[in-house]
Amino acid sequence: MRDPQSPSATPTAYDMELCVVELRAALAAHGITLPSLRVDLPTFAGTYPPPAGLIALGNCNTATASKLAAVLREGAAQ
């Protein structure tokens, strides 16, 4: 099994979906829900090397974005 943290590893659609599930659970543990959190599948078709795929986090309101930023700052301080 390859290490998904390895810089040479190219994530699959399954890897990306698993990442979304884990991120959604981690955010939910802090009371944060991002309905738009998803895999951005068109990024797998990109021409940049290597095609890696992106996670879409956008379309959240200001209160959610502020709460997310606070949780991330708190986590970085630990």
Side-chain angles (χ1 to χ4, degrees), residues 19-20 22-24 27 32-40 54-61 64-65 68 72:
C19 180
V20 168
E22 291 173 353
L23 185 54
R24 190 178 303 278
L27 292 170
I32 299 170
T33 302
L34 296 176
S36 62
L37 180 61
R38 61 180 171 74
V39 173
D40 182 43
L54 299 173
I55 304 296
L57 289 171
N59 299 328
C60 60
N61 62 31
T64 300
L68 180 57
L72 293 172

